[in-house]
Amino acid sequence: MRYEGTVYRPPSEADSLLIQATIGCPHNKCTFCGMYQTTNFRIRSVADIKEDLRTARDYHGDKVQSIFFPDGNTILIKTDQLVEILNYAQAMFPYLKRMTVYGSAKYFKLKSLKEFQRLKEAGLTRIHSGMESGDNEILRRVQKGFTPSEMIEEGLKVRGAGIELSEYILVGIGGRERTREHAIESARVLNAFTPDFVRLRTYVPWEGTPLYEDHQQGRFHLLSPHEALKETHLLVANLEGPFQLLSDHVSNFAWVNGSIPKDKPSILETLEQLLSVPEDRFRQADSRFL
Ligand code: SF4
């Protein structure tokens, strides 16, 4: 396998074979994201991706059960080409149970329901998608590239094709000014299209990004640990589900996991208990080194 640049993958793909299908991110505008800032986006050729799959089969054997195709927004690849890649992976690895990619609602718009159904038939199991917030103003400010109503429409389309959606919510991305709107609107949008998984991450400024500069200059007010916990509490209180809620990331101040709505009372109780812990017992809000 050949890798270019830093390869990012969700924690839940820790055991997956990683085969880069795109390099960088075609959007590359989100003001909080520093992942691919210096990378020129390109889609790798199908021939190169197939070659990497063959190399992986020779190296690991044919027992691989899960493949994740980085980098950002691999869902952008033309459907015929993605189907060819997914079919080839299935042929290389007959025990395969899961194939996943990154994709945002901005690029879901480029595919029809029928195309998503073809991808599902070819073995695409799950899409990891950064919704970040359901608040229109926050999405506009961070230049996410889609609106809440587009997120709902596109989320329903992907779910309608039978592909699992794992949505990422960025606690604190509205800053102090929009913490309430962020929690309530994110819950409203998530309830409307019910992704399979809602995964929480807490915003930590990333040096070199526009939002880091706003934070440094005092134009963006980072939530303190207690404020982030209160925001999470308001979000969870408004979630109806059904979906799995996970906080599977080291950035979070609370480790809250469970099924919504079944586990909502115990998750809210955990958050309330954490709010009684003094703030200086948590990591610093702007510390990337946890
Ligand atoms: S779409 Fe994702 S990878 Fe691309 S800039 Fe935004 S957050 Fe970063």
Side-chain angles (χ1 to χ4, degrees), residues 25 27-30 32-33 35-36 73 132 144:
C25 169
H27 181 60
N28 218 7
K29 290 192 183 91
C30 301
F32 57 87
C33 175
M35 290 203 291
Y36 306 113
N73 285 299
E132 328 301 356
K144 197 61 211 176

Side-chain angles (χ1 to χ4, degrees), residues 231-239 245 260 264 267-268 271:
E231 183 180 285
T232 307
H233 190 280
L234 186 58
L235 170 76
V236 175
N238 282 276
L239 290 177
L245 177 74
I260 302 291
K264 194 159 122 173
I267 291 172
L268 290 174
L271 289 164

Side-chain angles (χ1 to χ4, degrees), residues 43-46 49-50 76-87 118-119:
I43 297 172
R44 293 186 71 212
S45 72
V46 173
I49 296 166
K50 283 180 169 178
L76 165 84
I77 295 177
K78 285 197 172 76
T79 303
D80 282 347
Q81 293 180 357
L82 253 184
V83 165
E84 190 177 340
I85 293 162
L86 295 165
N87 283 336
R118 284 185 62 207
L119 292 170

Side-chain angles (χ1 to χ4, degrees), residues 3-254:
Y3 296 112
E4 278 187 48
T6 306
V7 179
Y8 296 91
R9 54 123 183 99
S12 58
E13 301 292 349
D15 295 330
S16 299
L17 169 66
L18 306 180
I19 300 287
Q20 267 178 312
T22 55
I23 308 294
C25 169
H27 181 60
N28 218 7
K29 290 192 183 91
C30 301
T31 62
F32 57 87
C33 175
M35 290 203 291
Y36 306 113
Q37 273 191 323
T38 55
T39 310
N40 290 325
F41 177 74
R42 70 184 172 86
I43 297 172
R44 293 186 71 212
S45 72
V46 173
D48 281 354
I49 296 166
K50 283 180 169 178
E51 194 182 323
D52 278 4
L53 284 164
R54 279 196 302 277
T55 306
R57 196 261 329 262
D58 294 344
Y59 186 78
H60 295 292
D62 66 357
K63 300 289 191 298
V64 167
Q65 295 193 351
S66 179
I67 302 178
F68 174 62
F69 292 96
D71 285 341
N73 285 299
T74 291
I75 198 66
L76 165 84
I77 295 177
K78 285 197 172 76
T79 303
D80 282 347
Q81 293 180 357
L82 253 184
V83 165
E84 190 177 340
I85 293 162
L86 295 165
N87 283 336
Y88 194 80
Q90 301 236 48
M92 286 292 105
F93 301 104
Y95 302 95
L96 210 47
K97 291 185 178 151
R98 193 171 84 178
M99 285 193 280
T100 61
V101 296
Y102 274 136
S104 102
K106 175 179 175 178
Y107 298 100
F108 295 166
K109 285 191 278 182
L110 304 178
K111 294 198 192 308
S112 65
L113 172 63
K114 206 166 164 30
E115 287 179 282
F116 278 111
Q117 286 166 337
R118 284 185 62 207
L119 292 170
K120 165 72 180 172
E121 278 162 24
L124 184 63
T125 326
R126 181 181 301 170
I127 302 176
H128 295 280
S129 186
M131 172 176 138
E132 328 301 356
S133 177
D135 178 52
N136 195 34
E137 178 58 20
I138 294 173
L139 290 176
R140 189 191 65 75
R141 286 183 188 178
V142 302
Q143 298 184 35
K144 197 61 211 176
F146 56 81
T147 64
S149 51
E150 286 172 331
M151 182 68 253
I152 294 170
E153 189 179 339
E154 298 307 319
L156 287 170
K157 186 164 75 183
V158 173
R159 298 267 288 120
I163 296 173
E164 290 178 348
L165 258 183
S166 188
E167 284 295 342
Y168 293 79
I169 297 295
L170 209 37
V171 174
I173 192 59
R176 243 176 238 150
E177 185 194 355
R178 292 196 78 77
T179 180
R180 186 172 171 76
E181 290 84 354
H182 178 40
I184 290 172
E185 286 300 289
S186 296
R188 180 185 69 79
V189 173
L190 291 166
N191 290 336
F193 72 96
T194 58
D196 300 81
F197 306 94
V198 174
R199 298 180 190 272
L200 304 179
R201 276 89 184 93
T202 300
Y203 174 63
V204 181
W206 189 324
E207 198 169 350
T209 60
L211 199 51
Y212 177 89
E213 276 311 305
D214 285 349
H215 164 60
Q216 291 293 102
Q217 301 301 323
R219 295 186 293 264
F220 177 88
H221 301 102
L222 201 58
L223 298 190
S224 71
H226 276 187
E227 287 169 335
L229 288 168
K230 282 180 194 160
E231 183 180 285
T232 307
H233 190 280
L234 186 58
L235 170 76
V236 175
N238 282 276
L239 290 177
E240 292 164 7
F243 35 67
Q244 287 294 313
L245 177 74
L246 300 115
S247 61
D248 53 344
H249 199 261
V250 72
S251 61
N252 294 328
F253 296 110

